Amino acid sequence: NAGVTQTPKFRVLKTGQSMTLLCAQDMNHEYMYWYRQDPGMGLRLIHYSVGEGTTAKGEVPDGYNVSRLKKQNFLLGLESAAPSQTSVYFCASSSRGPSSYEQYFGPGTRLTVT
Amino acid sequence: AQKVTQAQTEISVVEKEDVTLDCVYETRDTTYYLFWYKQPPSGELVFLIRRNSFDEQNEISGRYSWNFQKSTSSFNFTITASQVVDSAVYFCALSRIKAAGNKLTFGGGTRVLVKP
């Protein structure tokens, strides 16, 4: 099992450019999450999804959009990148039910916006 | 709103010393989960432990131990006889139990540097 994978691993963007980060999980999990990690601030939730076709805002959603067209994929989009979006992005997934508390994290994507 | 505070941003110890990481949390929920994650220099997040709010029993796993005190809203983590491989950033986190999508609220992390 690959678990949770993220594409790409690294990316450099110029201000105003757009891009999409792809998260894929092969554990048939219902819930998926996108977090960003900034120094001294831990991980903060951007958006999450509780099932295919559903998305919801997290703590820091501004400047990002997400889609969950397939259960196994969760896309994070930046329409017009800004330097403040320079961060490490982590995707996670978890099952529904008694074990839903356990989130499985991807390896992260390091994004730099110049 | 939930909040997790890790007041120590960085701790440096010499190998074999014990190190304790503090975690203080705020929540209005009466039941919740608490977690510790490790992030080694390679960058991935490694799950260490989950604790239910209604179980205040301390836990020990090898050189790791956790002290949960609901009365002071603290969930501290101790590494006994530290090793160089323990060098990492450690995150404390909190989540609600009865919520659609168990969103985690993380503390800012504590960087532990173990010197040989």
Side-chain angles (χ1 to χ4, degrees):
Chain A
N1 278 352
V4 180
T5 58
Q6 293 182 230
T7 308
K9 288 186 170 53
F10 303 94
R11 186 71 186 268
V12 178
L13 285 180
K14 294 184 178 179
T15 298
Q17 287 184 322
S18 63
M19 78 163 295
T20 300
L21 305 184
L22 169 64
C23 175
Q25 53 94 4
D26 61 2
M27 296 172 281
N28 201 34
H29 283 168
E30 291 289 338
Y31 302 156
M32 295 187 76
Y33 315 82
W34 276 107
Y35 295 89
R36 59 176 288 173
Q37 181 181 7
D38 301 295
M41 303 186 75
L43 280 75
R44 293 179 293 168
L45 183 66
I46 305 171
H47 286 280
Y48 66 99
S49 168
V50 298
E52 182 179 321
T54 71
T55 62
K57 294 180 180 179
E59 182 184 353
V60 288
D62 293 343
Y64 305 95
N65 56 75
V66 288
S67 65
R68 183 106 182 262
L69 299 180
K70 293 182 179 181
K71 186 178 182 179
Q72 64 268 32
N73 295 338
F74 195 28
L75 305 179
L76 178 71
L78 287 73
E79 290 187 349
S80 180
S84 61
Q85 294 178 304
T86 293
S87 189
V88 180
Y89 292 85
F90 286 94
C91 176
S93 69
S94 65
S95 62
R96 186 169 56 189
S99 297
S100 63
Y101 60 82
E102 185 168 355
Q103 293 190 16
Y104 295 79
F105 284 84
T109 295
R110 185 173 295 275
L111 174 67
T112 301
V113 183
T114 61
Chain B
Q2 300 182 116
K3 184 178 180 181
V4 177
T5 302
Q6 295 179 252
Q8 306 147 307
T9 55
E10 185 164 328
I11 300 174
S12 182
V13 297
V14 176
E15 207 169 18
K16 297 185 182 176
E17 287 184 340
D18 297 348
V19 55
T20 295
L21 310 182
D22 297 332
C23 173
V24 175
Y25 62 91
E26 297 173 29
T27 180
R28 293 180 180 176
D29 294 338
T30 55
T31 56
Y32 44 87
Y33 289 124
L34 293 163
F35 303 80
W36 276 96
Y37 284 85
K38 174 182 180 180
Q39 186 177 43
S42 52
E44 76 273 22
L45 281 158
V46 179
F47 168 82
L48 294 179
I49 190 172
R50 170 188 63 90
R51 171 63 64 199
N52 296 335
S53 57
F54 44 85
D55 179 4
E56 290 196 63
Q57 204 168 17
N58 290 332
E59 184 157 342
I60 298 175
S61 176
R63 295 184 297 106
Y64 295 169
S65 62
W66 291 269
N67 182 292
F68 174 39
Q69 293 194 342
K70 202 168 183 178
S71 61
T72 56
S73 298
S74 65
F75 186 41
N76 297 337
F77 172 33
T78 296
I79 303 172
T80 302
S82 61
Q83 300 176 1
V84 173
V85 293
D86 296 326
S87 295
V89 180
Y90 292 86
F91 292 100
C92 181
L94 168 71
S95 80
R96 308 179 73 182
I97 290 181
K98 293 181 180 178
N102 288 321
K103 305 173 291 293
L104 289 167
T105 299
F106 285 84
T110 298
R111 181 178 300 277
V112 173
L113 177 60
V114 182
K115 300 177 182 177

